Amino acid sequence: MTPYIVDARAWQESWDRQQEAYLPDREHRFAALLDAAEAAAGDRPPRLLDLAGGTGSISLRALARRPDAQVTVLDLDPVLLHIAEASLPGHATVVTADLNRPDWPDALPHREYDAVLTATALHWLDGPRLAALYREIRQVLKPGGVFVNADHMPDDTLPTLTGRLSEQARQRRAARRRAGAALSWEGWWEQAAADPDLAALVEKRREIYPTGHSPEWTPAAGWHLDALRSAGFGEVGVLWRNGADAAVAAVR
């Protein structure tokens, strides 16, 4: 089976639109992540790890900024990785690994990275595993390298307002779906299953996730900052925030 599908660009666009229904500020968070990566690398071509990178959304934007960047996309989902491979031939290394296993770094083509970036993905891990993952991420960063995780991270100092903002966003998503303006997560996967290039991979994905992903675990940003400090990072803080979402950054 060839890794190149005819409609890779169309599937990337479809994925972007589905994700933007959940994350209207998606490009802003990507920009914050990539700014941090560039700052960590300085004038050198950055070596980036797109962690739980799915279709390679971060990698595509990184390469648009710096075509000389060395990019690795790591994920477990066969459908999303297939789209990433088709979208990034010759421009990135795409690897399969399970972040629930501590040996995931063995799949990487490089021992150290200037930046490890991830967005809206690690909430599928539970607390103990995520805390351990933060320690493992530190080990694949160069000294002075940066890790940034953008995800659903309520503001623990504004719990009431953050809750209302989350509900407001939920209502807006529901209205857009009712109007046919955006696909739901479930709707996107139904379309993928109906595509002859992806159907077999969707079935493989069901074998990997027989009950779907685990329930989302979205602690407040303060939890992430404490876990990153405990993992041994030197500088830790909130890099970006919008409503109930934030990006936390940590420097080795």
Side-chain angles (χ1 to χ4, degrees), residues 52-76:
T55 66
S57 299
I58 292 172
S59 296
L60 287 165
R61 288 155 178 80
L63 289 165
R65 287 189 178 203
R66 287 291 302 256
D68 57 352
Q70 298 180 49
V71 177
T72 303
V73 182
L74 182 150
D75 206 291
L76 183 61

Side-chain angles (χ1 to χ4, degrees), residues 73-247:
V73 182
L74 182 150
D75 206 291
L76 183 61
D77 191 308
V79 177
L80 303 185
L81 285 176
H82 187 70
I83 297 171
E85 287 180 333
S87 304
L88 294 161
H91 298 290
T93 303
V94 179
V95 298
T96 301
D98 185 353
L99 293 180
N100 276 298
R101 296 173 53 92
D103 62 354
W104 64 268
D106 294 345
L108 298 175
H110 307 292
R111 294 186 62 185
E112 291 185 320
Y113 289 82
D114 294 297
V116 178
L117 308 177
T118 186
T120 328
L122 300 187
H123 56 255
W124 298 117
L125 303 177
D126 64 23
R129 179 58 202 141
L130 184 55
L133 180 66
Y134 282 169
R135 294 190 293 271
E136 294 156 8
I137 289 169
R138 184 179 179 276
Q139 297 306 309
V140 303
L141 280 170
K142 296 177 180 179
V146 63
F147 166 61
V148 190
N149 177 16
D151 212 331
H152 309 303
M153 298 180 188
D155 188 335
D156 32 10
T157 65
L158 293 169
T160 301
L161 180 59
T162 300
R164 290 175 178 171
L165 288 168
S166 296
E167 176 59 21
Q168 184 181 72
R170 188 196 66 77
Q171 291 178 3
R172 287 173 177 166
R173 285 195 302 272
R176 295 192 72 221
R177 289 189 194 124
R178 286 195 300 271
L183 278 175
S184 66
W185 171 265
E186 296 80 8
W188 191 88
W189 285 105
E190 289 173 3
Q191 289 197 352
D195 186 281
D197 288 318
L198 299 178
L201 292 171
V202 172
E203 187 57 36
K204 182 179 178 181
R205 180 182 188 272
R206 291 183 181 130
E207 296 173 3
I208 296 171
Y209 307 113
T211 60
H213 285 294
S214 59
E216 293 188 22
W217 189 71
T218 56
W223 182 94
H224 293 273
L225 299 178
D226 289 342
L228 289 165
R229 292 187 191 98
S230 296
F233 285 95
E235 297 180 19
V236 172
V238 175
L239 179 70
W240 170 91
R241 171 169 289 286
N242 187 12
D245 284 20

Side-chain angles (χ1 to χ4, degrees), residues 32-42 46 48 114-115 117 146 148:
L33 269 63
L34 294 172
D35 285 347
E38 288 182 356
L48 308 178
D114 294 297
L117 308 177
V146 63
V148 190

